Amino acid sequence: MKTINYDTLKNTVRDLAIASIYDLDEEVVQGLVKGLEKETNTLTKTIIKEIIENANIAKTKRIPICQDTGIVVVFLEIGNEVHFDFLIDDAINDGIKEAYEGELFRMSVVRHPLDRVNTFTNTPCIIHSKNVLGDKLKITVCPKGAGSENLSQMKMLIPKDGLEGVVKFVIDSVMFAGGKVCPPMIVGVGIGGNFEESALLSKKALIRPLEDESSDEIANKLEKRLLKEVNELNIGPMGVGGKTTALAVKVNVGPCHIAALPVSVNFQCHASRHKEAIL
Ligand code: SF4
């Protein structure tokens, strides 16, 4: 049995949050560079260059990639041989509080959706845990801005809607989101589960590596088809038109009820922030 102490977890979460807000993943930068090579319109190219320059400035000058430093979503994979003598959620929230207070990131969390009083700690964050075998703890920290989250959609389709119904829903959702999700976007699609599970599948799809391909044959084909169709919509970077609307479409699937076909679409803007560590 391995014991992880409170300070180790808190400090790891703090450092991951800080790194994610300053350092855009290199794979996203490379995705933007590839998009730049495909574009011909001057304004479209200028927008992509500015997004890349913004990421470079954020990294070198330690300025947040975006002013919306987000509500933080944390994914945990907890090995069955890992032991904690404290509440995991407390250490995670304390790590986030320390990061946001220490770096003066914008505090973006209110204590109640209707009284709108800021907690001024950027907590609580949203924590999803999964039990796995082994003596490791995997932590993925994802600050998520409201711009892309607010345009995300969920629909309970029925089995007769089938694949074409799913494609229509995803494309309609992307068209509705347009430039408001600060594209180039990453589109996370969750198909299956139930009402809440499909949303979680779509959120988890967003943290898959950009080059990752689904091992599910149907989802794999769907990812390629949707990426092509989304990039033909001419929404383009920040909605100015172009071929680079999405850097990736990721489809996660799960078992569901015989009478249901839940589908969720979770958007990630170009400020795709997530970092992970294994303890
Ligand atoms: S959608 Fe993303 S890039 Fe746009 S304001 Fe929100 S966090 Fe920033």
Side-chain angles (χ1 to χ4, degrees):
M1 190 65 78
K2 174 197 225 168
T3 299
I4 294 177
N5 71 41
Y6 166 88
D7 279 334
T8 303
L9 180 54
K10 172 182 71 71
N11 294 344
T12 302
V13 168
R14 177 197 64 204
D15 295 346
L16 291 173
I18 293 170
S20 68
I21 281 173
Y22 292 139
D23 302 339
L24 190 61
D25 273 355
E26 190 50 33
E27 61 166 9
V28 177
V29 178
Q30 287 313 313
L32 291 165
V33 170
K34 274 191 207 159
L36 189 58
E37 288 160 6
K38 283 188 221 144
E39 300 291 352
T40 47
N41 179 287
T42 309
L43 179 58
T44 306
K45 285 167 92 83
T46 304
I47 297 278
I48 299 181
K49 281 182 196 161
E50 286 186 356
I51 292 172
I52 295 170
E53 191 190 351
N54 179 67
N56 286 337
I57 292 170
K59 193 171 199 155
T60 52
K61 297 200 187 297
R62 314 305 281 170
I63 297 168
I65 298 164
C66 179
Q67 47 76 32
D68 185 350
T69 45
I71 186 167
V72 182
V73 182
V74 178
F75 291 100
L76 301 174
E77 286 183 20
I78 308 171
N80 65 325
E81 293 168 43
V82 182
H83 169 256
F84 307 91
D85 56 6
F86 56 90
L87 289 177
I88 303 174
D89 289 16
D90 286 351
I92 291 172
N93 281 308
D94 287 349
I96 294 302
K97 177 175 182 280
E98 217 171 280
Y100 279 67
E101 283 180 350
E103 300 294 311
L104 302 177
F105 294 153
R106 191 185 82 179
M107 300 294 187
S108 304
V109 177
V110 293
R111 69 178 185 185
H112 186 291
L114 296 176
D115 79 9
R116 313 302 298 181
V117 176
N118 198 305
T119 62
F120 289 113
T121 57
N122 217 60
T123 64
C125 41
I126 295 165
I127 302 169
H128 302 289
S129 302
K130 180 181 166 194
N131 298 318
V132 296
L133 292 173
D135 63 353
K136 303 269 189 295
L137 170 68
K138 182 174 173 187
I139 313 157
T140 308
V141 172
C142 322
K144 186 76 164 62
S148 54
E149 197 74 357
N150 282 353
L151 274 298
S152 299
Q153 306 240 15
M154 193 278 158
K155 192 165 185 184
M156 296 301 291
L157 298 182
I158 54 172
K160 104 173 164 38
D161 293 321
L163 184 71
E164 295 310 314
V166 170
V167 170
K168 182 176 183 320
F169 177 61
V170 175
I171 296 297
D172 286 351
S173 300
V174 173
M175 288 198 305
F176 180 72
K180 294 190 284 293
V181 297
C182 296
M185 61 179 89
I186 299 163
V187 185
V189 181
I191 310 172
N194 59 359
F195 182 77
E196 76 275 11
E197 177 67 9
S198 79
L200 191 54
L201 286 168
S202 69
K203 175 80 67 193
K204 285 183 180 169
L206 294 178
I207 57 171
R208 284 171 45 198
L210 274 195
E211 298 299 326
D212 183 47
E213 292 192 12
S214 175
S215 56
D216 178 278
E217 197 182 333
I218 299 172
N220 188 304
K221 278 191 190 145
L222 190 54
E223 287 178 352
K224 294 185 170 88
R225 175 178 169 184
L226 285 170
L227 181 61
K228 183 171 176 294
E229 293 190 18
V230 165
N231 281 332
E232 286 169 354
L233 294 175
N234 195 33
I235 294 168
M238 301 306 281
V240 300
K243 300 170 190 155
T244 320
T245 298
L247 300 179
V249 177
K250 301 292 176 198
V251 177
N252 280 8
V253 292
C256 66
H257 192 285
I258 51 169
L261 177 52
V263 187
S264 291
V265 180
N266 195 199
F267 291 110
Q268 173 61 64
C269 58
H270 65 264
S272 173
R273 295 162 289 190
H274 51 88
K275 299 283 180 198
E276 64 182 47
I278 296 175
L279 298 177

